[in-house]
Amino acid sequence: MLSHLYIRNFALIEELSIPFDDGLTIITGETGAGKSILIGALGQVLGARGKSDLVRSGSEKAVIEATLTSPRRPQLDALLNEAGIEHGDEIILRREISLKGSSRCFINDSPCTLQVLRKAGDILIDLHGQHEHQLLLHQETHASMLDAFAGLQPDVADYKALLARYRKCQRTIQDLRSEQHQLREQQQLLQFQLDELDALDLDIGEEEELESETRLLENAETLFESSSSLCRELYDKEDSAFVQLSEALHQLERLAGIDRQLTDRLEELQQATSLVEELSRTFRSYRETIDFNPSKLDDLRQRQLQLQKIKKKYGRPIDELIAYRDEIAGQLAGSRLSETQIEELETEQKDLQKKLSAAAGSLRKARKEASGRLSGIIVSELQKLGIPHPEFIITITPEPEPDGELNIDGTPCKALPDGADTIEFQITTNPGEPPRPLVKTASGGEISRIMLALKTALAATADLPILVFDEIDTGISGSVAEAVGRSLKELSALHQIISITHLPQIAAMADTHLVVEKQLEGERTRSSVLRLGPDEHVAAVARLISGNRPSDASLDVAAQLIETGRNAATAP
């Protein structure tokens, strides 16, 4: 609901603060008083193109602010969340237009772009008289309107969920194939590297072992000679350490036989003699193990050379090469795993494709059935509103595509966000003329009545915004005017409606009646808005009947029209 409109320094308006109520608000006033200026100001806060000549003469800028209360709408929530604007049930739209023609836009006191302001305005207020704010003229809204009328929102939600799963599956397959393609280009190299590293059979610590074993083989002769010399010096020579220690042990035994206190020394010398004998046996055994093997030494040196080359080639030490080998093996194994995943996902994709096609086919069938009923209701409403020979067509057109994801009755079709079809409302009001899209229908009172008929048909089901009509009474009078008034009144029970009118039959239906007046104050003209009480409402309707000085008869007629309007509001 539009609860408040504030306007300052806009055209003839110096400053206005206008509260609004729900139901039907009628705005009347003499020609030139500023009614269209009021609607123009509302259009500016909804994102219409701003011009510097809209700023009141002598002022630096014009300010228009609209305060609305609105239940949470997913589309509006998404828009404001994306723009980083905090919001609740109250939304404040503000537009400031400078003398230079530039403008600043705000939603809930947060700066925003004109595009965001316009999109928010489109969701909240449907302003007729300016095509950019006629929601039902936008073909992209027609499918949701028809679905709301047919009660198909749950089915559409199911279709969208299937489509989201299908798209996710499709993206995953594409990503896996892309990875496979990239890997395939490297696969030959990776396989070569894996084979090369596997052939080397690398092992952590091998380099240290090779170094140790090579050192022994390279020094085999030295080791043999040194160990043989040790054996000679310790045991084999006539004057070896063992021989000398044995002689010393013999002398010490004679001494210990005389002096018992040398017994401990005797044991130590015995141990030394035994140790030398054991050492000689150890070096003799060691000498026998020394390997004089030039061929093996060559092999070891070749292996060392291999390891040096592979480290230099890959620029990594052996432990990192082992880890790299495992990484390559994992990538190649992953490639084989990805192929299996792709096959599984392609099976799932085909299953989803069948379900998606079935869901889209069911939606098409239900929409075709509902389109006939909705067309009939709209034609009936248009006839009530003074358009005697209307033809209203709802086209449900598939989008065939050779590689389409959907199969509808054997025809491949493109998967659209809400089904397989493009839905568009078309109309002709002149016999013999072919129906044309709503957006190409002539503007003025006729298009306003078409919108009124559409919204009357959709009122109970569609999530319609606040409705503002500027030219709804153009070219009508009498019983047609009364029918338009009744439709507005009935529709206002479900949606807030604001309408400018010159006709008493429509004005009489008002729940709230505002009058725009123009006054000359000094040398300046300014417009003002008055909210009428019950008696003033009767008088204002009477002036629409008979002019500025209503007669008693016109007052009586006005009172009867208003009473008729009240009865229309309470009629079942």
Side-chain angles (χ1 to χ4, degrees):
M1 186 184 97
L2 175 65
S3 59
H4 193 268
L5 181 64
Y6 174 78
I7 306 169
R8 186 175 76 241
N9 298 327
F10 182 81
L12 296 179
I13 299 173
E14 181 178 3
E15 187 172 33
L16 283 178
S17 183
I18 311 167
F20 287 88
D21 295 321
D22 56 6
L24 176 60
T25 297
I26 293 294
I27 301 173
T28 61
E30 295 182 2
T31 301
K35 301 185 300 298
S36 293
I37 294 174
L38 197 64
I39 298 301
L42 186 57
Q44 289 298 309
V45 84
L46 298 178
R49 180 178 298 176
K51 298 178 182 179
S52 59
D53 58 4
L54 296 174
V55 180
R56 182 174 167 83
S57 177
S59 303
E60 292 295 323
K61 67 178 180 180
V63 178
I64 307 103
E65 185 174 278
T67 302
L68 305 103
T69 56
S70 173
R72 304 302 289 267
R73 297 186 181 199
Q75 188 180 0
L76 181 63
D77 289 349
L79 174 67
L80 299 184
N81 288 337
E82 185 178 352
I85 297 172
E86 294 185 3
H87 57 99
D89 291 339
E90 184 176 82
I91 305 290
I92 300 174
L93 310 179
R94 187 166 85 250
R95 178 94 175 270
E96 299 177 358
I97 305 169
S98 72
L99 273 175
K100 296 180 180 179
S102 61
S103 69
R104 298 172 66 201
C105 304
F106 303 84
I107 298 178
N108 292 347
D109 290 327
S110 295
C112 68
T113 64
L114 179 61
Q115 184 182 20
V116 170
L117 184 76
R118 184 179 293 127
K119 286 181 178 179
D122 280 342
I123 295 169
L124 292 166
I125 298 180
D126 201 358
L127 176 56
H128 293 276
Q130 297 185 44
H131 273 216
E132 57 266 36
H133 286 293
Q134 295 179 8
L135 184 67
L136 290 183
L137 289 181
H138 302 320
Q139 180 270 324
E140 59 268 22
T141 68
H142 295 174
S144 61
M145 296 292 178
L146 177 59
D147 291 340
F149 174 79
L152 292 175
Q153 295 99 325
D155 303 88
V156 174
D158 290 343
Y159 170 87
K160 288 183 175 180
L162 279 172
L163 183 60
R165 287 175 58 195
Y166 178 83
R167 293 284 185 237
K168 182 179 179 181
C169 187
Q170 194 175 45
R171 286 193 302 270
T172 305
I173 291 173
Q174 289 172 350
D175 291 344
L176 287 172
R177 281 181 174 158
S178 177
E179 289 174 8
Q180 271 198 325
H181 177 71
Q182 293 174 4
L183 186 59
R184 196 171 288 118
E185 293 178 349
Q186 304 174 2
Q187 201 163 14
Q188 188 173 359
L189 172 61
L190 293 176
Q191 188 63 55
F192 172 81
Q193 290 178 337
L194 179 63
D195 293 343
E196 182 178 44
L197 293 173
D198 279 345
L200 288 170
D201 193 21
L202 301 176
D203 191 12
I204 294 175
E206 182 184 5
E207 284 184 295
E208 290 77 8
E209 292 178 7
L210 285 170
E211 178 64 29
S212 176
E213 199 169 351
T214 301
R215 189 167 57 250
L216 292 175
L217 286 171
E218 286 176 338
N219 294 279
E221 187 174 343
T222 300
L223 292 171
F224 184 83
E225 289 176 357
S226 295
S227 59
S228 295
S229 177
L230 279 170
C231 287
R232 287 195 303 272
E233 294 297 329
L234 289 173
Y235 194 84
D236 294 340
K237 289 195 320 180
E238 290 183 359
D239 60 347
S240 68
F242 179 76
V243 170
Q244 293 182 40
L245 282 172
S246 296
E247 181 60 30
L249 179 61
H250 179 68
Q251 295 296 331
L252 184 56
E253 284 175 343
R254 289 175 62 195
L255 290 174
I258 300 169
D259 187 354
R260 296 295 182 186
Q261 63 180 349
L262 296 176
T263 303
D264 290 342
R265 305 287 81 81
L266 177 63
E267 291 178 359
E268 291 173 357
L269 188 55
Q270 288 173 339
Q271 290 176 359
T273 304
S274 297
L275 178 60
V276 168
E277 186 179 19
E278 181 62 31
L279 284 171
S280 69
R281 283 197 296 269
T282 299
F283 288 121
R284 191 174 290 109
S285 297
Y286 174 76
R287 184 181 60 187
E288 292 172 358
T289 64
I290 293 171
D291 190 4
F292 291 90
N293 192 338
S295 176
K296 182 177 181 182
L297 180 59
D298 286 342
D299 290 343
L300 291 175
R301 285 172 176 166
Q302 282 296 116
R303 180 63 173 175
Q304 285 180 314
L305 185 60
Q306 281 183 323
L307 297 184
Q308 289 299 325
K309 286 182 177 179
I310 204 72
K311 288 195 297 182
K312 184 177 180 180
K313 180 177 180 179
Y314 286 91
R316 306 177 189 215
I318 294 299
D319 58 339
E320 291 186 14
L321 280 173
I322 293 170
Y324 180 58
R325 180 266 167 212
D326 293 340
E327 182 183 335
I328 294 173
Q331 284 182 286
L332 293 170
S335 173
R336 292 187 287 273
L337 180 62
S338 293
E339 189 61 45
T340 302
Q341 286 179 305
I342 289 173
E343 291 174 1
E344 292 173 352
L345 285 167
E346 285 177 338
T347 301
E348 181 183 355
Q349 186 182 31
K350 288 179 182 178
D351 181 58
L352 287 171
Q353 207 167 6
K354 290 179 182 178
K355 292 178 179 177
L356 204 56
S357 297
S362 296
L363 282 171
R364 169 184 281 186
K365 183 178 179 181
R367 284 166 173 167
K368 284 186 174 181
E369 189 277 329
S371 66
R373 290 188 289 115
L374 180 57
S375 294
I377 294 172
I378 291 171
V379 166
S380 177
E381 290 295 327
L382 287 171
Q383 289 170 339
K384 292 178 187 176
L385 298 176
I387 300 177
H389 303 292
E391 185 179 0
F392 188 87
I393 302 296
I394 300 174
T395 63
I396 301 175
T397 310
E399 288 201 23
E401 193 173 75
D403 297 323
E405 298 117 323
L406 303 181
N407 186 318
I408 307 297
D409 298 328
T411 302
C413 296
K414 183 178 180 180
L416 300 176
D418 50 9
D421 304 297
T422 298
I423 296 172
E424 186 173 40
F425 296 166
Q426 298 185 352
I427 191 169
T428 179
T429 56
N430 301 307
E433 291 294 323
R436 295 190 303 161
L438 286 182
V439 73
K440 296 181 180 179
T441 304
S443 61
E446 188 175 75
I447 186 63
S448 291
R449 279 181 284 160
I450 291 169
M451 293 300 106
L452 180 57
L454 276 167
K455 289 169 183 180
T456 299
L458 296 168
T461 54
D463 187 15
L464 296 177
I466 300 157
L467 309 179
V468 181
F469 292 97
D470 188 11
E471 300 174 326
I472 199 165
D473 57 7
T474 301
I476 64 171
S477 59
S479 60
V480 173
E482 183 179 351
V484 169
R486 284 179 178 273
S487 289
L488 288 172
K489 187 71 172 180
E490 291 169 4
L491 193 55
S492 70
L494 297 171
H495 304 279
Q496 184 188 28
I497 297 180
I498 300 167
S499 179
I500 291 176
T501 188
H502 303 87
L503 298 178
Q505 295 94 330
I506 295 175
M509 299 291 176
D511 295 306
T512 302
H513 191 154
L514 304 178
V515 172
V516 181
E517 295 182 343
K518 183 169 65 175
Q519 298 104 9
L520 183 63
E521 295 184 357
E523 296 182 355
R524 298 296 300 273
T525 301
R526 61 188 294 269
S527 292
S528 61
V529 176
L530 301 176
R531 184 187 180 95
L532 304 184
D535 293 338
E536 294 168 318
H537 176 40
V538 173
V541 173
R543 282 195 293 274
L544 294 174
I545 296 171
S546 61
N548 286 334
R549 294 184 178 181
S551 63
D552 290 341
S554 62
L555 287 169
D556 288 341
V557 172
Q560 290 174 5
L561 287 174
I562 292 169
E563 184 62 28
T564 299
R566 290 197 191 99
N567 292 335
T570 57

